[in-house]
Amino acid sequence: MMERMNGPGLHPLATVAVPRLAHEDSFSYKENLIGALLAIFGHLLISIALNLQKYSHIRLSGSKDHRVYFRTKTWWCGLFLLFLGELGVFSAYAFAPLSLIVPLGAVSVMASAIIGIIFIKEKWKPREFLSCGLAVVGTYLLITFGPNSHETMTGENITKHLVSWPFLLYTLVEIIIFCLLLYFYKERKANYIVVILLLVALLGSMTAITVKAVAGMIAVSIRGNLQLGYPIFYIMVVCMVATAAFQATFLTQASQLYDASQIASVGYILSTTVAVTAGATFYLDFTGEDVLHICMFALGCLIAFLGVFLITRNKRKSILFEPYISMDAMPGMQNLHDNGTAVQPDLRPSFSYGALENNDAISEIYAPATLPIVQEQHGSKGAPIPPYRVMEHSKGE
């Protein structure tokens, strides 16, 4: 039991305020830790699942097995692990603040790189292990100095945040930016990776807000306070599904134009930045936090950004199929250009491929041949015979 110490002129209730506050801080930190562990576990499962599906595709392409990928046990095992991983990340939003869960996506990039080295035998340079170290340090700072704001996700609280002036202003600015980017992307054909992934990030911020609301309301309902009767719950579910579907559409378009490593790094940085801003605006994650914790959290984000960027920067791009034989692949031809030997000497003066210029040097080399033409003066009936004779062949011949 806690002992009550009363001094002269001090109210008895004032002595229990500090221990109660310390108890609440300890409880919020435990919830943060549970949410962070669930998110890390979920991202690890997602990485394992994606690499299992990738391994299934590689094994089918390198064998004589003509089955489609969704008929293999490996692919279905990966799909099951992917579902468990997404469920773990979804559950993490019910325990920890949104601004803490979103940056932990760096774990997925780091785990995918390590699993690719171990199981798929992808080549890695030793310096790239430093990139993983930076991602680990950034993740540690995020968990240690993450926001400790916890609010019961009831229908009343979510509705109150939804109609608050900071979030309404943030939503207006986001809609304007989204419409401008969509106009430049669709009408002006601005197919830059930043434009496409910024569209994904803006949609992802709304997805993160709705996921946090849905997961929190489900958790409160499980504890006994039913929240599924509020219309705001179903509004959030619809918004969550719609924004996730549009994200998948833009990501598919980006994957057709850019390398997957670029999409992973740029997408992670943009999505994390916008989602943390949305969480701080909607759920007021950093309310009551001191400057030191906010600065250390920002430093953890920057270190995690740098680690993810360095991990994905040196990823080898896929080599496209070339329908011709490369000279470098032929024995004895690798150093042909280095020693000054020409593979096919140029004709000087040079001319365009497929077209001959009217040049005296070319006419001296390539002189036209003259064919003798023998003509008879008179035919059998006294008519002149032409220098050529047209012969007709019947179908029987």
Side-chain angles (χ1 to χ4, degrees):
M1 287 182 68
M2 183 174 19
E3 185 177 357
R4 179 178 298 178
M5 299 177 61
N6 297 329
L10 187 64
H11 196 274
L13 295 179
T15 58
V16 298
V18 175
R20 182 177 298 174
L21 182 60
H23 175 71
E24 291 178 356
D25 291 341
S26 176
F27 178 74
S28 63
Y29 181 76
K30 288 181 180 179
E31 283 196 332
N32 278 10
L33 186 59
I34 293 173
L37 291 177
L38 282 174
I40 292 173
F41 178 73
H43 286 302
L44 287 175
L45 285 182
I46 291 173
S47 302
I48 295 173
L50 294 178
N51 280 278
L52 274 177
Q53 292 181 334
K54 182 179 179 180
Y55 173 74
S56 175
H57 287 284
I58 293 175
R59 189 176 65 175
L60 285 177
S61 62
S63 64
K64 297 181 179 179
D65 192 355
H66 299 289
R67 292 181 301 169
V68 290
Y69 62 90
F70 56 82
R71 292 184 179 273
T72 60
K73 296 180 180 179
T74 307
W75 189 86
W76 280 103
C77 181
L79 183 63
F80 176 72
L81 291 179
L82 181 64
F83 174 77
L84 288 181
E86 294 290 351
L87 183 61
V89 176
F90 179 81
S91 303
Y93 282 95
F95 292 92
L98 184 151
S99 301
L100 174 61
I101 300 301
V102 172
L104 295 179
V107 177
S108 180
V109 179
M110 179 177 58
S112 295
I114 296 176
I115 293 172
I117 297 173
I118 297 175
F119 294 101
I120 308 181
K121 306 301 181 181
E122 293 181 352
K123 293 183 178 180
W124 240 31
K125 297 179 181 179
R127 63 183 181 183
E128 294 179 352
F129 287 96
L130 176 63
S131 307
C132 285
L134 290 175
V136 171
V137 173
T139 303
Y140 172 77
L141 292 177
L142 290 173
I143 297 175
T144 305
F145 297 98
N148 288 324
S149 61
H150 291 271
E151 184 181 10
T152 305
M153 291 290 103
T154 60
E156 293 87 354
N157 291 335
I158 294 175
T159 305
K160 181 184 65 177
H161 290 305
L162 192 62
V163 297
S164 62
W165 284 109
F167 180 71
L168 291 177
L169 181 61
Y170 171 82
T171 305
L172 179 61
V173 173
E174 183 170 308
I175 290 175
I176 294 174
I177 296 175
F178 184 84
C179 292
L180 289 175
L181 291 174
L182 190 62
Y183 170 76
F184 283 107
Y185 175 60
K186 293 294 184 181
E187 300 297 331
R188 300 293 182 176
K189 305 300 180 183
N191 298 328
Y192 302 108
I193 186 172
V194 176
V195 174
I196 302 175
L197 294 183
L198 193 53
L199 290 170
V200 175
L202 293 174
L203 290 171
S205 64
M206 292 300 172
T207 306
I209 289 175
T210 54
V211 167
K212 171 70 175 176
V214 172
M217 293 180 75
I218 291 176
V220 172
S221 300
I222 293 175
R223 293 170 184 170
N225 188 5
L226 187 63
Q227 300 294 319
L228 304 184
Y230 289 91
I232 191 64
F233 174 79
Y234 301 98
I235 294 175
M236 289 294 179
V237 170
V238 172
C239 292
M240 178 181 66
V241 175
T243 53
F246 282 112
Q247 279 188 84
T249 302
F250 285 116
L251 282 175
T252 302
Q253 296 174 5
S255 63
Q256 296 173 355
L257 299 174
Y258 298 97
D259 188 67
S261 60
Q262 293 178 336
I263 296 174
S265 60
V266 179
Y268 169 74
I269 294 172
L270 293 178
S271 298
T272 302
T273 304
V274 178
V276 169
T277 305
T281 305
F282 188 86
Y283 294 107
L284 306 176
D285 287 342
F286 295 96
T287 301
E289 298 290 336
D290 54 11
V291 179
L292 177 61
H293 277 75
I294 296 176
C295 292
M296 293 301 294
F297 180 82
L299 179 62
C301 288
L302 292 177
I303 294 176
F305 291 166
L306 181 60
V308 171
F309 175 76
L310 293 178
I311 289 173
T312 57
R313 186 189 64 172
N314 296 322
K315 282 287 185 181
R316 184 179 180 182
K317 295 182 179 180
S318 57
I319 301 175
L320 299 178
F321 172 73
E322 297 179 351
Y324 53 85
I325 300 176
S326 177
M327 285 295 181
D328 295 334
M330 299 175 62
M333 302 293 286
Q334 289 84 358
N335 301 322
L336 198 59
H337 295 282
D338 298 335
N339 57 18
T341 306
V343 178
Q344 182 175 351
D346 294 333
L347 183 63
R348 300 196 180 274
S350 61
F351 52 93
S352 301
Y353 177 78
L356 293 177
E357 295 181 356
N358 187 11
N359 192 285
D360 296 337
I362 300 175
S363 61
E364 291 178 0
I365 299 175
Y366 299 99
T370 303
L371 299 178
I373 301 176
V374 181
Q375 298 182 357
E376 295 182 3
Q377 298 295 328
H378 300 282
S380 58
K381 296 184 179 179
I385 299 176
Y388 58 88
R389 183 175 299 174
V390 180
M391 299 182 66
E392 296 181 357
H393 298 275
S394 62
K395 295 182 179 180
E397 297 177 351

